[in-house]
């Protein structure tokens, strides 16, 4: 694929829009500072199209301008879905065939995170984006622990429920809380379970990099826009692929 450029008014004109906040009072100097930053980032010319005070001593900006960088789609690396998308009916049938019992999923928002809408979108029967959540699947038992669950609580409940898969949501990313919490969680599961017997660990949230699963010690990372069907299909694919989990 040929290199491409951003597009604002005419194809390939390189126009982009950027928003940010600077710790400076709203003023003409502040607008100039925003242009200076944009110039240093490679936007030239750069135009402040919006600037508004954000409390005392802070200003929010939207800057519109041209960049000269070429984008090379051939060099982009992403995590592609490497398993088939199943309908709930197909997923139920696969679970029944290979596990001969219901598959147990335990879900939670861990740490201080109280953003439950994302995990509920995946788990609750009402689902997300026109797809039913995992509670709709007859062969899946869902235990949704809700918000602000500690790692020890999650591990204990997973052991008690004999969880096949543990689904963790992390939405707050301040000071990399999502990464630290996930690493703590995966380490706790490695410690609590015999090698090779731990449940499938799945983490999700809008600001995760899907390529980080190995680094975070989990089986899969899902990011923004994930649908319940993708998650159910992944779990079924991995569960029915790994005989060691079947007997638990
Ligand atoms: C609603 C909301 C709240 C509600 C949450 C209510 C609830 N019960 O969830 C309330 C008002 C409580 C709240 C509080 C706070 N919030 Co808030 N909140 C939001 C908001 C507006 C929407 C989040 C949301 O519901 N998205 C919709 C769902 C469907 O999307 P999603 O979470 O991305 O989930 C999808 C995927 O990511 C994925 N997914 C998510 N989890 C999982 C898990 C698994 C296993 C899988 C497979 C997939 C998956 O699947 C989902 C469906 O596609 C966002 C801003 C925004 N527009 O996103 C801020 C936002 C997340 N909040 C933010 C902040 C800062 C806070 C507070 C700290 C504010 C404060 N100072 O008090 C508190 C923190 C409370 C706490 N202890 O966690 C920041 C986070 C910034 C950061 N970098 O961390 C955001 C981004 C706003 C912002 N721009 O500043 N918040």
């Amino acid at each position: 694929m040929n290199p491409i450029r951003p597009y604002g008014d005419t194809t390939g004109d390189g126009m982009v829009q950027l928003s940010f906040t600077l710790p400076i009072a709203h003023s003409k100097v502040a607008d100039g500072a925003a242009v200076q930053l944009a110039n240093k980032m490679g936007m030239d010319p750069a135009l402040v199209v919006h600037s508004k005070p954000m409390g005392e001593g802070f200003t929010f900006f939207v800057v519109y301008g041209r960049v000269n960088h070429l984008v090379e789609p051939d060099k982009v690396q992403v995590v592609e879905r490497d398993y088939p998308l199943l309908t709930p009916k197909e997923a139920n049938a696969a679970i029944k065939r290979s596990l001969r019992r219901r598959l147990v999923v335990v879900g939670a928002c861990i740490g201080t995170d109280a953003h439950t809408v994302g995990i509920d979108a995946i788990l609750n029967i009402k689902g997300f984006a026109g797809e039913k959540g995992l509670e709709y699947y007859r062969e899946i038992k869902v235990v949704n622990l809700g918000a602000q669950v500690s790692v020890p609580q999650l591990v204990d409940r997973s052991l008690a429920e004999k969880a096949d898969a543990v689904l963790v949501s992390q939405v707050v990313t301040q000071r990399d809380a999502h990464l630290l919490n996930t690493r703590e969680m995966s380490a706790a599961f490695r410690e609590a379970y015999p090698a090779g017997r731990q449940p499938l660990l799945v983490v999700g949230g809008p600001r995760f990099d899907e390529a980080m699963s190995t680094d975070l010690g989990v089986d899969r990372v899902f990011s923004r826009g994930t649908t319940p069907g993708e998650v159910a299909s992944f779990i079924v694919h991995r569960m029915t692929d790994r005989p060691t989990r079947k007997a638990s």
Side-chain angles (χ1 to χ4, degrees), residues 123-134:
L123 297 180
N124 286 4
I125 195 161
K126 67 182 177 200
F128 181 70
E131 290 182 13
K132 299 278 191 196
L134 270 53

Side-chain angles (χ1 to χ4, degrees), residues 33-76:
V35 169
Q36 188 191 97
L37 175 66
N39 287 157
K40 287 183 177 178
M41 291 174 74
M43 280 171 79
D44 191 12
L47 186 68
V48 173
V49 292
H50 175 85
S51 69
K52 273 267 161 13
M54 293 268 289
E56 213 173 305
F58 291 86
T59 308
F60 174 74
F61 303 94
V62 178
V63 176
Y64 184 63
R66 185 190 313 277
V67 294
N68 288 313
H69 312 87
L70 287 174
V71 180
E72 298 168 275
D74 290 343
K75 294 190 178 162
V76 173

Side-chain angles (χ1 to χ4, degrees), residues 222-244:
F222 285 95
S223 194
R224 70 197 148 82
T226 305
T227 64
E230 291 172 321
V231 181
S233 301
F234 170 73
I235 297 171
V236 169
H237 172 70
R238 290 291 291 269
M239 285 299 304
T240 51
D241 226 30
R242 295 186 57 175
T244 50

Side-chain angles (χ1 to χ4, degrees), residues 107-109 112-123 128 147-148 166-175 202-208 220-228 231:
C109 289
T112 57
D113 207 325
H115 294 87
T116 48
V117 181
I119 187 89
D120 287 346
I122 304 299
L123 297 180
F128 181 70
Q148 301 191 329
V166 173
L167 269 55
V168 163
S169 181
Q170 287 286 269
V171 173
V172 174
T173 60
Q174 289 161 339
R175 297 197 181 93
V202 177
V203 72
R207 295 191 187 181
F208 273 111
R220 190 83 176 197
V221 177
F222 285 95
S223 194
R224 70 197 148 82
T226 305
T227 64
V231 181

Side-chain angles (χ1 to χ4, degrees), residues 91-93 95-96 101-104 137-141:
N92 284 330
I95 296 168
K96 219 170 174 177
R101 59 168 175 77
R102 290 176 88 200
L103 187 152
V104 181
Y137 292 64
R138 205 184 46 241
E139 299 300 327
I140 299 182
K141 176 186 174 189

Side-chain angles (χ1 to χ4, degrees), residues 193-212:
Y193 281 78
R197 305 290 300 172
Q198 71 178 50
L200 207 58
L201 297 181
V202 177
V203 72
R207 295 191 187 181
F208 273 111
D209 175 350
E210 291 183 339
M212 285 187 78

